[in-house]
Amino acid sequence: MTQSTISAQLGSLDLSAAPLALGGNVFGWTADDDASFSVLDAFVAAGGRMIDSADVYSAWVPGNSGGESETTIGRWLARGGRRDDVQIATKVSQHPEYPGLSAANVRAAAEASLRRLGTDRIDLYYAHFDDADTPVAETAAAFSRLVDDGLVREIGISNYSAERIDEWFAAVEADGLHRPVALQPHYNLVERGFEEAVQGAALRHGLGVLPYYALASGFLTGSYRDGVAPDSPRAQGAARYLDDRGRRVLDALDEVAAAHDAPLASVALAWLRAQPTVVAPIASARRTDQLDALLTSMTLELSAAEVDRLTDASA
């Protein structure tokens, strides 16, 4: 298997034994408390560590206002008392009440997330989307102060261009700030734009990459084929990949999955783990039976030839 050139150690956070982050976008949306708690319990019982959320999840749902995912995770933590068993990642910039990345907003949003989560610290706090109206140096300093104050353990960047990542690290060097350790981009077998420039920025700055939409809205599970479209809120997003290239990717996934007697989703996530800079893909499950393939991916080792087969199919 091709080895990542970035350590699985994200500052003080170690993902080497559990190279998968559980996506929390479904909590409070397509998964109610009972379903969410079951998935979270099973994830931790299987050795999972990182739970990924955002303050905006799931403001897009009619009747929701944002923060539902964090609130669900907070109720789970309060019920089970397992705070020290997990690493909580969340994000700022998109919540309707806390938009943008000004220093004041970063602080206010972090404090609101902590209240919803019912905890005293965020293990990994991301700038969710770049804010062109706020100087990067201001945002970088605001995140660094959260670390100084003990509210945040480690800093992450999400959805930034290579140039803006470089600006953030220039501010770090100029002002003696705490360095980001993680980068969260859109990246999977059928979305490979990350490799064009942003991957280089991750390498330059030693950022561990945790790709979101790691299964392309479910397309890479193999559930979406010609004439087959599951009843899912993500169906429209997944179906757009069913073109000639998408079919080639599914054929390659079928081949490699058969060789390992493993689900297609496990193979797709293992391919991501094999990519330079990637530490842990992010994937979600709204039922425990969907979680099995994600957990299998943590220990599935692909040969170099299998990685190349998948890479070539998705070119």
Side-chain angles (χ1 to χ4, degrees), residues 35-279:
S36 300
F37 292 176
S38 294
V39 167
L40 286 161
D41 285 342
F43 178 68
V44 175
R49 294 280 286 158
M50 180 166 283
I51 302 165
D52 182 86
S53 188
D55 63 358
V56 70
Y57 299 163
S58 49
W60 57 85
V61 178
N64 284 5
S65 57
E68 286 78 16
S69 172
E70 291 177 332
T71 299
T72 299
I73 294 166
R75 285 196 290 263
W76 174 75
L77 290 170
R79 187 203 66 162
R82 311 189 74 164
R83 180 64 184 93
D84 292 337
D85 295 336
V86 294
Q87 300 161 355
I88 304 294
T90 194
K91 313 176 192 75
V92 53
S93 81
Q94 300 295 295
H95 191 287
E97 293 180 31
Y98 303 100
L101 292 170
S102 68
N105 189 70
V106 167
R107 168 70 58 157
E111 292 174 348
S113 287
L114 287 166
R115 288 192 295 271
R116 287 189 291 266
L117 290 163
T119 187
D120 61 350
R121 82 276 187 193
I122 297 166
D123 296 300
L124 179 57
Y125 198 40
Y126 289 95
H128 197 170
F129 283 87
D130 194 1
D131 176 5
D133 296 327
T134 300
V136 173
E138 177 182 338
T139 301
F143 273 75
S144 189
R145 282 192 291 272
L146 292 175
V147 177
D148 287 335
D149 294 343
L151 302 184
V152 167
R153 288 177 64 188
E154 301 293 349
I155 298 167
I157 299 172
S158 179
N159 298 300
Y160 270 56
S161 68
E163 293 77 15
R164 294 285 274 182
I165 294 169
D166 288 342
E167 283 188 48
W168 191 306
F169 278 89
V172 165
E173 297 302 325
D175 300 325
L177 306 177
H178 292 285
R179 298 172 62 86
V181 299
L183 177 67
Q184 190 173 135
H186 186 186
Y187 184 34
N188 58 54
L189 263 169
V190 289
E191 293 282 357
R192 293 178 55 189
F194 163 73
E195 297 170 1
E196 295 169 8
V198 178
Q199 188 178 66
L203 283 166
R204 281 195 297 279
H205 302 296
L207 291 167
V209 172
L210 296 94
Y212 70 86
Y213 284 157
L215 293 174
S217 298
F219 177 75
L220 297 173
T221 66
S223 299
Y224 298 82
R225 310 271 184 165
D226 289 307
V228 179
D231 181 15
S232 167
R234 301 181 301 174
Q236 186 173 0
R240 73 182 187 274
Y241 296 115
L242 194 55
D243 54 15
D244 288 344
R245 175 171 173 258
R247 294 182 185 95
R248 289 198 305 272
V249 170
L250 291 178
D251 287 345
L253 283 170
D254 286 337
E255 179 183 312
V256 177
H260 289 270
D261 191 22
L264 269 68
S266 305
V267 174
L269 296 173
W271 177 86
L272 268 177
R273 282 200 298 112
Q275 302 311 303
T277 72
V278 173
V279 168

